[in-house]
Amino acid sequence: MNRVFSGVQPTGNIHLGNYLGALRQFVELQNDNDCFYCIVDEHAITVPQDPKELKKSILDVAALYLAIGLDPKKSTVFVQSQVPGHAELGWILNCVSVTGELYRMTQFKSKSKGQESVGTGLLTYPVLMAADILLYDTNIVPVGNDQKQHIELTRDLAIRVNHKYGEKTFVVPEGRFMKSAARVMALDDPTQKMSKSAQNVHSRISLLDDDNKIKKSIMKATTDSDGEVRYDVENKPGVSNLLSIMSALTDRPIEQLEKDYEGHGYGDFKKDLVAITIDALRPIKENFNEIRYSQDLIDALTAGAERANEISLATLKRVRDAFGMGI
Ligand code: ATP
Ligand code: LTN
């Protein structure tokens, strides 16, 4: 059985991009794999967080994990900081990576751009991500396209360590990216990815948005003036983004949607997308409300951390031994 690992940051506003690019694969994978799904709070603190908000966000993401269909009996769901091995392996891998390869990461470049002072954690973020993955002998990492570079770095570090300290030290993982909607773009600016942190709330659809907000954001979404519902990322990035969202939510190929909307204006197309999105998010919101304040959620996270600790300690022992650390 393959081991799967992925993580989401508890930084609020989990959106349709997170869901279509990453979370929906999590559910699909849990039946045939040994899956670990983590809420990566140690990654969240690479930028300043309000402690009360962070605590709330951690449980929000955990509840969303279960609300979209993750079953704690099948998947190990847990919070990163409850498993000390992440920080320890992160440190060891810091000593294997070089600063040049970290400065090259596009996420680092974009998050540090224009900042007067840049936290060290922001630079070493991808090393901690590599530790998350390698700690569980992971084979498959389901993520959105924006994480490709980080997965490559994880592979590089694993190969580098294996070369120096023994080929069996780490399992070399592979990324798994969605074929459709692997990169959902912002509704107000389809040249940027949909993001949790963007100022404009209408740039994204959050999974917990109410129906009115969903309607407003989609009806306001940037399109173009030619009026044709056609997929053409270069010349029609807004419409193309909405088409990929509709295709991902309905499992209908984009070519089929283009045919269906031939001769219709953007108004009809957007109205249908509003209805489809509202229908898709309704059960998630209902499940979320049921789970969020339940003891079951806390129990699932406690059991998850226990299993994650057990597995991670075995990997750490192997790594410490390979490096000659300890007594
Ligand atoms: P921010 O939007 O603030 O930069 P983020 O959403 O990228 O944060 P995470 O919460 O860690 O950060 O992302 C969780 C998962 O969602 C990752 O696998 C990431 O690749 C995926 N993801 C994030 N944004 C998108 C997007 N716009 N389209 C597709 N997948 C995405
Ligand atoms: N960097 C990821 C979140 C993340 C992650 C991981 C994803 C942290 N550790 C391990 C997969 C595997 C992001 O989406 N921003």
Side-chain angles (χ1 to χ4, degrees), residues 6-11 14-15 17-23 26 40 107 111 125 142-147 181-185 193-198:
S6 195
V8 171
Q9 299 191 71
T11 42
I14 301 283
H15 51 72
N18 299 133
Y19 179 62
L20 296 176
L23 291 167
F26 294 6
V40 290
Q107 182 175 300
K111 293 212 167 167
Y125 175 114
V143 275
N145 266 358
D146 61 319
Q147 296 300 310
R183 189 172 167 82
V184 176
M185 307 312 282
K193 75 162 192 158
M194 187 177 283
S195 145
K196 289 177 189 155
S197 41

PDB file of all heavy atoms in Angstrom, residues 6-11 14-15 17-23 26 40 107 111 125 142-147 181-185 193-198, ligand 1:
ATOM      1  N   SER A   6      -0.146  14.860   2.766  1.00  0.00           N
ATOM      2  CA  SER A   6      -0.288  16.244   2.311  1.00  0.00           C
ATOM      3  C   SER A   6      -0.670  17.145   3.486  1.00  0.00           C
ATOM      4  O   SER A   6      -1.051  16.656   4.546  1.00  0.00           O
ATOM      5  CB  SER A   6      -1.313  16.376   1.186  1.00  0.00           C
ATOM      6  OG  SER A   6      -1.143  17.645   0.564  1.00  0.00           O
ATOM      7  N   GLY A   7      -0.531  18.438   3.272  1.00  0.00           N
ATOM      8  CA  GLY A   7      -0.826  19.382   4.345  1.00  0.00           C
ATOM      9  C   GLY A   7      -1.479  20.644   3.825  1.00  0.00           C
ATOM     10  O   GLY A   7      -1.296  21.027   2.672  1.00  0.00           O
ATOM     11  N   VAL A   8      -2.263  21.261   4.695  1.00  0.00           N
ATOM     12  CA  VAL A   8      -2.876  22.551   4.390  1.00  0.00           C
ATOM     13  C   VAL A   8      -2.573  23.483   5.559  1.00  0.00           C
ATOM     14  O   VAL A   8      -2.635  23.078   6.726  1.00  0.00           O
ATOM     15  CB  VAL A   8      -4.405  22.406   4.190  1.00  0.00           C
ATOM     16  CG1 VAL A   8      -5.072  23.761   4.081  1.00  0.00           C
ATOM     17  CG2 VAL A   8      -4.710  21.570   2.950  1.00  0.00           C
ATOM     18  N   GLN A   9      -2.259  24.726   5.244  1.00  0.00           N
ATOM     19  CA  GLN A   9      -1.954  25.688   6.304  1.00  0.00           C
ATOM     20  C   GLN A   9      -3.237  26.213   6.947  1.00  0.00           C
ATOM     21  O   GLN A   9      -4.175  26.551   6.229  1.00  0.00           O
ATOM     22  CB  GLN A   9      -1.216  26.888   5.726  1.00  0.00           C
ATOM     23  CG  GLN A   9       0.101  26.537   5.099  1.00  0.00           C
ATOM     24  CD  GLN A   9       0.884  27.797   4.810  1.00  0.00           C
ATOM     25  OE1 GLN A   9       1.374  28.469   5.714  1.00  0.00           O
ATOM     26  NE2 GLN A   9       1.001  28.136   3.548  1.00  0.00           N
ATOM     27  N   PRO A  10      -3.254  26.309   8.280  1.00  0.00           N
ATOM     28  CA  PRO A  10      -4.440  26.855   8.944  1.00  0.00           C
ATOM     29  C   PRO A  10      -4.401  28.377   8.943  1.00  0.00           C
ATOM     30  O   PRO A  10      -4.178  29.004   9.974  1.00  0.00           O
ATOM     31  CB  PRO A  10      -4.326  26.285  10.369  1.00  0.00           C
ATOM     32  CG  PRO A  10      -2.855  26.135  10.582  1.00  0.00           C
ATOM     33  CD  PRO A  10      -2.247  25.848   9.242  1.00  0.00           C
ATOM     34  N   THR A  11      -4.566  28.947   7.755  1.00  0.00           N
ATOM     35  CA  THR A  11      -4.461  30.402   7.652  1.00  0.00           C
ATOM     36  C   THR A  11      -5.776  30.997   7.143  1.00  0.00           C
ATOM     37  O   THR A  11      -5.767  32.036   6.500  1.00  0.00           O
ATOM     38  CB  THR A  11      -3.270  30.791   6.749  1.00  0.00           C
ATOM     39  OG1 THR A  11      -3.246  29.912   5.616  1.00  0.00           O
ATOM     40  CG2 THR A  11      -1.955  30.661   7.470  1.00  0.00           C
ATOM     41  N   ILE A  14     -10.201  28.765   3.549  1.00  0.00           N
ATOM     42  CA  ILE A  14      -9.960  27.668   2.599  1.00  0.00           C
ATOM     43  C   ILE A  14     -10.918  27.855   1.417  1.00  0.00           C
ATOM     44  O   ILE A  14     -12.115  28.052   1.610  1.00  0.00           O
ATOM     45  CB  ILE A  14     -10.225  26.297   3.263  1.00  0.00           C
ATOM     46  CG1 ILE A  14      -9.323  26.100   4.468  1.00  0.00           C
ATOM     47  CG2 ILE A  14     -10.088  25.158   2.266  1.00  0.00           C
ATOM     48  CD1 ILE A  14      -7.911  25.753   4.151  1.00  0.00           C
ATOM     49  N   HIS A  15     -10.357  27.845   0.221  1.00  0.00           N
ATOM     50  CA  HIS A  15     -11.145  28.261  -0.937  1.00  0.00           C
ATOM     51  C   HIS A  15     -11.252  27.162  -1.990  1.00  0.00           C
ATOM     52  O   HIS A  15     -10.670  26.079  -1.837  1.00  0.00           O
ATOM     53  CB  HIS A  15     -10.536  29.538  -1.535  1.00  0.00           C
ATOM     54  CG  HIS A  15      -9.050  29.439  -1.791  1.00  0.00           C
ATOM     55  ND1 HIS A  15      -8.519  28.679  -2.804  1.00  0.00           N
ATOM     56  CD2 HIS A  15      -7.994  29.984  -1.140  1.00  0.00           C
ATOM     57  CE1 HIS A  15      -7.206  28.776  -2.785  1.00  0.00           C
ATOM     58  NE2 HIS A  15      -6.859  29.567  -1.767  1.00  0.00           N
ATOM     59  N   GLY A  17      -9.922  26.932  -4.786  1.00  0.00           N
ATOM     60  CA  GLY A  17      -8.624  26.528  -5.339  1.00  0.00           C
ATOM     61  C   GLY A  17      -8.001  25.430  -4.495  1.00  0.00           C
ATOM     62  O   GLY A  17      -7.545  24.411  -5.022  1.00  0.00           O
ATOM     63  N   ASN A  18      -8.012  25.609  -3.178  1.00  0.00           N
ATOM     64  CA  ASN A  18      -7.485  24.567  -2.283  1.00  0.00           C
ATOM     65  C   ASN A  18      -8.266  23.259  -2.494  1.00  0.00           C
ATOM     66  O   ASN A  18      -7.685  22.179  -2.535  1.00  0.00           O
ATOM     67  CB  ASN A  18      -7.647  24.962  -0.799  1.00  0.00           C
ATOM     68  CG  ASN A  18      -6.909  26.239  -0.425  1.00  0.00           C
ATOM     69  OD1 ASN A  18      -7.479  27.098   0.220  1.00  0.00           O
ATOM     70  ND2 ASN A  18      -5.651  26.371  -0.817  1.00  0.00           N
ATOM     71  N   TYR A  19      -9.587  23.409  -2.626  1.00  0.00           N
ATOM     72  CA  TYR A  19     -10.437  22.215  -2.731  1.00  0.00           C
ATOM     73  C   TYR A  19     -10.213  21.494  -4.057  1.00  0.00           C
ATOM     74  O   TYR A  19      -9.949  20.287  -4.077  1.00  0.00           O
ATOM     75  CB  TYR A  19     -11.908  22.632  -2.586  1.00  0.00           C
ATOM     76  CG  TYR A  19     -12.857  21.470  -2.704  1.00  0.00           C
ATOM     77  CD1 TYR A  19     -12.819  20.422  -1.786  1.00  0.00           C
ATOM     78  CD2 TYR A  19     -13.794  21.403  -3.736  1.00  0.00           C
ATOM     79  CE1 TYR A  19     -13.680  19.335  -1.894  1.00  0.00           C
ATOM     80  CE2 TYR A  19     -14.659  20.330  -3.855  1.00  0.00           C
ATOM     81  CZ  TYR A  19     -14.594  19.302  -2.927  1.00  0.00           C
ATOM     82  OH  TYR A  19     -15.442  18.226  -3.054  1.00  0.00           O
ATOM     83  N   LEU A  20     -10.285  22.238  -5.163  1.00  0.00           N
ATOM     84  CA  LEU A  20     -10.189  21.582  -6.473  1.00  0.00           C
ATOM     85  C   LEU A  20      -8.752  21.150  -6.777  1.00  0.00           C
ATOM     86  O   LEU A  20      -8.528  20.122  -7.412  1.00  0.00           O
ATOM     87  CB  LEU A  20     -10.716  22.510  -7.576  1.00  0.00           C
ATOM     88  CG  LEU A  20     -12.208  22.862  -7.453  1.00  0.00           C
ATOM     89  CD1 LEU A  20     -12.613  23.855  -8.526  1.00  0.00           C
ATOM     90  CD2 LEU A  20     -13.084  21.614  -7.541  1.00  0.00           C
ATOM     91  N   GLY A  21      -7.791  21.944  -6.309  1.00  0.00           N
ATOM     92  CA  GLY A  21      -6.389  21.621  -6.606  1.00  0.00           C
ATOM     93  C   GLY A  21      -5.833  20.522  -5.719  1.00  0.00           C
ATOM     94  O   GLY A  21      -4.977  19.750  -6.144  1.00  0.00           O
ATOM     95  N   ALA A  22      -6.292  20.453  -4.469  1.00  0.00           N
ATOM     96  CA  ALA A  22      -5.656  19.518  -3.535  1.00  0.00           C
ATOM     97  C   ALA A  22      -6.658  18.655  -2.765  1.00  0.00           C
ATOM     98  O   ALA A  22      -6.661  17.433  -2.877  1.00  0.00           O
ATOM     99  CB  ALA A  22      -4.779  20.301  -2.558  1.00  0.00           C
ATOM    100  N   LEU A  23      -7.536  19.305  -2.000  1.00  0.00           N
ATOM    101  CA  LEU A  23      -8.356  18.558  -1.036  1.00  0.00           C
ATOM    102  C   LEU A  23      -9.191  17.445  -1.660  1.00  0.00           C
ATOM    103  O   LEU A  23      -9.365  16.377  -1.083  1.00  0.00           O
ATOM    104  CB  LEU A  23      -9.286  19.524  -0.291  1.00  0.00           C
ATOM    105  CG  LEU A  23      -8.577  20.484   0.656  1.00  0.00           C
ATOM    106  CD1 LEU A  23      -9.507  21.597   1.116  1.00  0.00           C
ATOM    107  CD2 LEU A  23      -8.060  19.723   1.868  1.00  0.00           C
ATOM    108  N   PHE A  26      -7.504  14.258  -1.880  1.00  0.00           N
ATOM    109  CA  PHE A  26      -7.259  13.594  -0.591  1.00  0.00           C
ATOM    110  C   PHE A  26      -8.303  12.498  -0.370  1.00  0.00           C
ATOM    111  O   PHE A  26      -8.000  11.392   0.055  1.00  0.00           O
ATOM    112  CB  PHE A  26      -7.363  14.571   0.590  1.00  0.00           C
ATOM    113  CG  PHE A  26      -6.325  15.668   0.662  1.00  0.00           C
ATOM    114  CD1 PHE A  26      -5.404  15.872  -0.350  1.00  0.00           C
ATOM    115  CD2 PHE A  26      -6.279  16.513   1.768  1.00  0.00           C
ATOM    116  CE1 PHE A  26      -4.454  16.887  -0.262  1.00  0.00           C
ATOM    117  CE2 PHE A  26      -5.338  17.525   1.871  1.00  0.00           C
ATOM    118  CZ  PHE A  26      -4.439  17.715   0.847  1.00  0.00           C
ATOM    119  N   VAL A  40      -0.839  22.099   8.916  1.00  0.00           N
ATOM    120  CA  VAL A  40       0.565  22.476   9.131  1.00  0.00           C
ATOM    121  C   VAL A  40       0.689  23.844   9.824  1.00  0.00           C
ATOM    122  O   VAL A  40       0.990  24.860   9.209  1.00  0.00           O
ATOM    123  CB  VAL A  40       1.385  22.402   7.815  1.00  0.00           C
ATOM    124  CG1 VAL A  40       1.564  20.961   7.386  1.00  0.00           C
ATOM    125  CG2 VAL A  40       0.744  23.195   6.686  1.00  0.00           C
ATOM    126  N   GLN A 107       7.914  30.703  -4.345  1.00  0.00           N
ATOM    127  CA  GLN A 107       7.045  31.115  -3.230  1.00  0.00           C
ATOM    128  C   GLN A 107       7.795  32.042  -2.272  1.00  0.00           C
ATOM    129  O   GLN A 107       7.252  33.034  -1.797  1.00  0.00           O
ATOM    130  CB  GLN A 107       6.515  29.896  -2.477  1.00  0.00           C
ATOM    131  CG  GLN A 107       5.580  30.286  -1.344  1.00  0.00           C
ATOM    132  CD  GLN A 107       4.931  29.096  -0.659  1.00  0.00           C
ATOM    133  OE1 GLN A 107       4.226  28.306  -1.268  1.00  0.00           O
ATOM    134  NE2 GLN A 107       5.178  28.951   0.625  1.00  0.00           N
ATOM    135  N   LYS A 111       6.667  35.804  -1.532  1.00  0.00           N
ATOM    136  CA  LYS A 111       6.261  36.191  -0.171  1.00  0.00           C
ATOM    137  C   LYS A 111       7.229  37.176   0.486  1.00  0.00           C
ATOM    138  O   LYS A 111       6.862  37.874   1.425  1.00  0.00           O
ATOM    139  CB  LYS A 111       6.080  34.951   0.714  1.00  0.00           C
ATOM    140  CG  LYS A 111       4.904  34.094   0.262  1.00  0.00           C
ATOM    141  CD  LYS A 111       4.188  33.376   1.386  1.00  0.00           C
ATOM    142  CE  LYS A 111       2.868  32.829   0.861  1.00  0.00           C
ATOM    143  NZ  LYS A 111       2.195  31.886   1.705  1.00  0.00           N
ATOM    144  N   TYR A 125      11.041  27.382   4.960  1.00  0.00           N
ATOM    145  CA  TYR A 125       9.715  26.761   4.828  1.00  0.00           C
ATOM    146  C   TYR A 125       9.745  25.477   3.982  1.00  0.00           C
ATOM    147  O   TYR A 125       9.237  24.433   4.403  1.00  0.00           O
ATOM    148  CB  TYR A 125       8.783  27.836   4.242  1.00  0.00           C
ATOM    149  CG  TYR A 125       7.384  27.431   3.905  1.00  0.00           C
ATOM    150  CD1 TYR A 125       6.308  27.972   4.608  1.00  0.00           C
ATOM    151  CD2 TYR A 125       7.090  26.552   2.867  1.00  0.00           C
ATOM    152  CE1 TYR A 125       4.999  27.623   4.301  1.00  0.00           C
ATOM    153  CE2 TYR A 125       5.798  26.202   2.559  1.00  0.00           C
ATOM    154  CZ  TYR A 125       4.754  26.740   3.273  1.00  0.00           C
ATOM    155  OH  TYR A 125       3.464  26.390   2.965  1.00  0.00           O
ATOM    156  N   PRO A 142      -0.253  14.562  -2.873  1.00  0.00           N
ATOM    157  CA  PRO A 142      -1.245  15.275  -3.677  1.00  0.00           C
ATOM    158  C   PRO A 142      -1.257  16.763  -3.324  1.00  0.00           C
ATOM    159  O   PRO A 142      -1.532  17.133  -2.185  1.00  0.00           O
ATOM    160  CB  PRO A 142      -2.575  14.616  -3.272  1.00  0.00           C
ATOM    161  CG  PRO A 142      -2.339  14.062  -1.905  1.00  0.00           C
ATOM    162  CD  PRO A 142      -0.868  13.781  -1.780  1.00  0.00           C
ATOM    163  N   VAL A 143      -0.935  17.613  -4.281  1.00  0.00           N
ATOM    164  CA  VAL A 143      -0.883  19.070  -4.051  1.00  0.00           C
ATOM    165  C   VAL A 143      -1.292  19.819  -5.311  1.00  0.00           C
ATOM    166  O   VAL A 143      -1.378  19.233  -6.397  1.00  0.00           O
ATOM    167  CB  VAL A 143       0.545  19.561  -3.672  1.00  0.00           C
ATOM    168  CG1 VAL A 143       0.832  19.429  -2.202  1.00  0.00           C
ATOM    169  CG2 VAL A 143       1.611  18.881  -4.493  1.00  0.00           C
ATOM    170  N   GLY A 144      -1.510  21.116  -5.157  1.00  0.00           N
ATOM    171  CA  GLY A 144      -1.774  21.974  -6.309  1.00  0.00           C
ATOM    172  C   GLY A 144      -0.470  22.240  -7.062  1.00  0.00           C
ATOM    173  O   GLY A 144       0.625  22.059  -6.522  1.00  0.00           O
ATOM    174  N   ASN A 145      -0.612  22.707  -8.303  1.00  0.00           N
ATOM    175  CA  ASN A 145       0.551  22.950  -9.168  1.00  0.00           C
ATOM    176  C   ASN A 145       1.582  23.903  -8.570  1.00  0.00           C
ATOM    177  O   ASN A 145       2.769  23.805  -8.869  1.00  0.00           O
ATOM    178  CB  ASN A 145       0.076  23.595 -10.475  1.00  0.00           C
ATOM    179  CG  ASN A 145      -0.157  22.555 -11.523  1.00  0.00           C
ATOM    180  OD1 ASN A 145       0.081  21.368 -11.264  1.00  0.00           O
ATOM    181  ND2 ASN A 145      -0.620  22.965 -12.684  1.00  0.00           N
ATOM    182  N   ASP A 146       1.115  24.828  -7.717  1.00  0.00           N
ATOM    183  CA  ASP A 146       2.026  25.836  -7.153  1.00  0.00           C
ATOM    184  C   ASP A 146       3.086  25.197  -6.248  1.00  0.00           C
ATOM    185  O   ASP A 146       4.056  25.850  -5.889  1.00  0.00           O
ATOM    186  CB  ASP A 146       1.241  26.904  -6.382  1.00  0.00           C
ATOM    187  CG  ASP A 146       0.468  26.319  -5.206  1.00  0.00           C
ATOM    188  OD1 ASP A 146      -0.115  25.242  -5.351  1.00  0.00           O
ATOM    189  OD2 ASP A 146       0.478  26.941  -4.127  1.00  0.00           O
ATOM    190  N   GLN A 147       2.897  23.934  -5.887  1.00  0.00           N
ATOM    191  CA  GLN A 147       3.848  23.273  -4.974  1.00  0.00           C
ATOM    192  C   GLN A 147       4.890  22.428  -5.703  1.00  0.00           C
ATOM    193  O   GLN A 147       5.702  21.750  -5.069  1.00  0.00           O
ATOM    194  CB  GLN A 147       3.083  22.406  -3.965  1.00  0.00           C
ATOM    195  CG  GLN A 147       2.184  23.218  -3.045  1.00  0.00           C
ATOM    196  CD  GLN A 147       2.973  24.228  -2.233  1.00  0.00           C
ATOM    197  OE1 GLN A 147       3.973  23.901  -1.618  1.00  0.00           O
ATOM    198  NE2 GLN A 147       2.535  25.481  -2.266  1.00  0.00           N
ATOM    199  N   ALA A 181      -8.146  21.974 -13.144  1.00  0.00           N
ATOM    200  CA  ALA A 181      -8.214  22.910 -12.017  1.00  0.00           C
ATOM    201  C   ALA A 181      -7.083  22.736 -11.012  1.00  0.00           C
ATOM    202  O   ALA A 181      -7.265  22.942  -9.823  1.00  0.00           O
ATOM    203  CB  ALA A 181      -9.566  22.797 -11.306  1.00  0.00           C
ATOM    204  N   ALA A 182      -5.911  22.339 -11.482  1.00  0.00           N
ATOM    205  CA  ALA A 182      -4.760  22.210 -10.582  1.00  0.00           C
ATOM    206  C   ALA A 182      -4.283  23.589 -10.148  1.00  0.00           C
ATOM    207  O   ALA A 182      -3.566  23.725  -9.172  1.00  0.00           O
ATOM    208  CB  ALA A 182      -3.632  21.464 -11.275  1.00  0.00           C
ATOM    209  N   ARG A 183      -4.690  24.616 -10.889  1.00  0.00           N
ATOM    210  CA  ARG A 183      -4.348  25.989 -10.512  1.00  0.00           C
ATOM    211  C   ARG A 183      -5.573  26.856 -10.801  1.00  0.00           C
ATOM    212  O   ARG A 183      -5.809  27.257 -11.947  1.00  0.00           O
ATOM    213  CB  ARG A 183      -3.141  26.441 -11.342  1.00  0.00           C
ATOM    214  CG  ARG A 183      -2.568  27.753 -10.909  1.00  0.00           C
ATOM    215  CD  ARG A 183      -1.266  27.994 -11.676  1.00  0.00           C
ATOM    216  NE  ARG A 183      -0.823  29.362 -11.531  1.00  0.00           N
ATOM    217  CZ  ARG A 183      -0.144  29.823 -10.475  1.00  0.00           C
ATOM    218  NH1 ARG A 183       0.152  29.027  -9.492  1.00  0.00           N
ATOM    219  NH2 ARG A 183       0.216  31.082 -10.424  1.00  0.00           N
ATOM    220  N   VAL A 184      -6.339  27.099  -9.766  1.00  0.00           N
ATOM    221  CA  VAL A 184      -7.530  27.938  -9.904  1.00  0.00           C
ATOM    222  C   VAL A 184      -7.105  29.387  -9.740  1.00  0.00           C
ATOM    223  O   VAL A 184      -6.338  29.712  -8.828  1.00  0.00           O
ATOM    224  CB  VAL A 184      -8.590  27.552  -8.836  1.00  0.00           C
ATOM    225  CG1 VAL A 184      -9.795  28.478  -8.913  1.00  0.00           C
ATOM    226  CG2 VAL A 184      -9.013  26.103  -9.010  1.00  0.00           C
ATOM    227  N   MET A 185      -7.565  30.249 -10.641  1.00  0.00           N
ATOM    228  CA  MET A 185      -7.103  31.628 -10.613  1.00  0.00           C
ATOM    229  C   MET A 185      -8.091  32.520  -9.846  1.00  0.00           C
ATOM    230  O   MET A 185      -9.252  32.155  -9.638  1.00  0.00           O
ATOM    231  CB  MET A 185      -6.920  32.146 -12.048  1.00  0.00           C
ATOM    232  CG  MET A 185      -6.035  31.259 -12.922  1.00  0.00           C
ATOM    233  SD  MET A 185      -4.485  30.774 -12.142  1.00  0.00           S
ATOM    234  CE  MET A 185      -3.526  32.270 -12.358  1.00  0.00           C
ATOM    235  N   LYS A 193      -3.069  33.473  -8.804  1.00  0.00           N
ATOM    236  CA  LYS A 193      -3.789  32.295  -8.311  1.00  0.00           C
ATOM    237  C   LYS A 193      -4.781  32.693  -7.212  1.00  0.00           C
ATOM    238  O   LYS A 193      -4.548  33.673  -6.497  1.00  0.00           O
ATOM    239  CB  LYS A 193      -2.810  31.220  -7.831  1.00  0.00           C
ATOM    240  CG  LYS A 193      -2.154  31.495  -6.502  1.00  0.00           C
ATOM    241  CD  LYS A 193      -1.551  30.218  -5.901  1.00  0.00           C
ATOM    242  CE  LYS A 193      -1.192  30.497  -4.458  1.00  0.00           C
ATOM    243  NZ  LYS A 193      -1.077  29.365  -3.594  1.00  0.00           N
ATOM    244  N   MET A 194      -5.882  31.952  -7.137  1.00  0.00           N
ATOM    245  CA  MET A 194      -6.836  32.196  -6.052  1.00  0.00           C
ATOM    246  C   MET A 194      -6.097  31.958  -4.749  1.00  0.00           C
ATOM    247  O   MET A 194      -5.419  30.945  -4.606  1.00  0.00           O
ATOM    248  CB  MET A 194      -8.042  31.268  -6.191  1.00  0.00           C
ATOM    249  CG  MET A 194      -9.152  31.570  -5.199  1.00  0.00           C
ATOM    250  SD  MET A 194     -10.611  30.522  -5.411  1.00  0.00           S
ATOM    251  CE  MET A 194     -11.407  31.248  -6.830  1.00  0.00           C
ATOM    252  N   SER A 195      -6.226  32.894  -3.808  1.00  0.00           N
ATOM    253  CA  SER A 195      -5.399  32.810  -2.614  1.00  0.00           C
ATOM    254  C   SER A 195      -6.205  33.154  -1.364  1.00  0.00           C
ATOM    255  O   SER A 195      -7.168  33.924  -1.419  1.00  0.00           O
ATOM    256  CB  SER A 195      -4.206  33.754  -2.804  1.00  0.00           C
ATOM    257  OG  SER A 195      -3.852  34.340  -1.591  1.00  0.00           O
ATOM    258  N   LYS A 196      -5.779  32.555  -0.246  1.00  0.00           N
ATOM    259  CA  LYS A 196      -6.465  32.796   1.025  1.00  0.00           C
ATOM    260  C   LYS A 196      -6.269  34.217   1.492  1.00  0.00           C
ATOM    261  O   LYS A 196      -7.092  34.767   2.192  1.00  0.00           O
ATOM    262  CB  LYS A 196      -5.847  31.905   2.109  1.00  0.00           C
ATOM    263  CG  LYS A 196      -6.136  30.474   1.985  1.00  0.00           C
ATOM    264  CD  LYS A 196      -5.373  29.809   3.110  1.00  0.00           C
ATOM    265  CE  LYS A 196      -5.401  28.328   2.986  1.00  0.00           C
ATOM    266  NZ  LYS A 196      -4.250  27.741   3.665  1.00  0.00           N
ATOM    267  N   SER A 197      -5.092  34.754   1.146  1.00  0.00           N
ATOM    268  CA  SER A 197      -4.684  35.993   1.782  1.00  0.00           C
ATOM    269  C   SER A 197      -5.000  37.252   0.967  1.00  0.00           C
ATOM    270  O   SER A 197      -4.797  38.355   1.470  1.00  0.00           O
ATOM    271  CB  SER A 197      -3.185  35.916   2.074  1.00  0.00           C
ATOM    272  OG  SER A 197      -2.519  35.326   0.981  1.00  0.00           O
ATOM    273  N   ALA A 198      -5.538  37.114  -0.254  1.00  0.00           N
ATOM    274  CA  ALA A 198      -5.809  38.310  -1.064  1.00  0.00           C
ATOM    275  C   ALA A 198      -6.807  39.223  -0.344  1.00  0.00           C
ATOM    276  O   ALA A 198      -7.726  38.748   0.319  1.00  0.00           O
ATOM    277  CB  ALA A 198      -6.354  37.903  -2.422  1.00  0.00           C
TER     278      ALA A 198
HETATM  279  P1  ATP B   1      -2.215  31.289   0.007  1.00  0.00           P
HETATM  280  O1  ATP B   1      -3.406  31.180  -0.901  1.00  0.00           O
HETATM  281  O2  ATP B   1      -2.441  32.237   1.153  1.00  0.00           O
HETATM  282  O3  ATP B   1      -0.937  31.488  -0.722  1.00  0.00           O
HETATM  283  P2  ATP B   1      -2.283  28.520  -0.079  1.00  0.00           P
HETATM  284  O4  ATP B   1      -3.764  28.314  -0.235  1.00  0.00           O
HETATM  285  O5  ATP B   1      -1.415  28.406  -1.272  1.00  0.00           O
HETATM  286  O6  ATP B   1      -2.084  29.882   0.690  1.00  0.00           O
HETATM  287  P3  ATP B   1      -2.089  26.104   1.489  1.00  0.00           P
HETATM  288  O7  ATP B   1      -3.234  26.257   2.413  1.00  0.00           O
HETATM  289  O8  ATP B   1      -0.951  25.504   2.132  1.00  0.00           O
HETATM  290  O9  ATP B   1      -1.619  27.500   0.935  1.00  0.00           O
HETATM  291  O10 ATP B   1      -2.545  25.261   0.229  1.00  0.00           O
HETATM  292  C1  ATP B   1      -3.146  24.019   0.405  1.00  0.00           C
HETATM  293  C2  ATP B   1      -3.220  23.278  -0.899  1.00  0.00           C
HETATM  294  O11 ATP B   1      -4.011  23.977  -1.843  1.00  0.00           O
HETATM  295  C3  ATP B   1      -1.850  23.070  -1.571  1.00  0.00           C
HETATM  296  O12 ATP B   1      -1.777  21.751  -2.078  1.00  0.00           O
HETATM  297  C4  ATP B   1      -1.844  24.060  -2.697  1.00  0.00           C
HETATM  298  O13 ATP B   1      -1.074  23.607  -3.787  1.00  0.00           O
HETATM  299  C5  ATP B   1      -3.300  24.100  -3.077  1.00  0.00           C
HETATM  300  N1  ATP B   1      -3.676  25.387  -3.678  1.00  0.00           N
HETATM  301  C6  ATP B   1      -3.544  26.618  -3.123  1.00  0.00           C
HETATM  302  N2  ATP B   1      -4.020  27.569  -3.943  1.00  0.00           N
HETATM  303  C7  ATP B   1      -4.457  26.928  -5.065  1.00  0.00           C
HETATM  304  C8  ATP B   1      -5.065  27.362  -6.291  1.00  0.00           C
HETATM  305  N3  ATP B   1      -5.340  28.649  -6.516  1.00  0.00           N
HETATM  306  N4  ATP B   1      -5.376  26.427  -7.209  1.00  0.00           N
HETATM  307  C9  ATP B   1      -5.126  25.118  -6.987  1.00  0.00           C
HETATM  308  N5  ATP B   1      -4.569  24.636  -5.861  1.00  0.00           N
HETATM  309  C10 ATP B   1      -4.231  25.518  -4.904  1.00  0.00           C
END
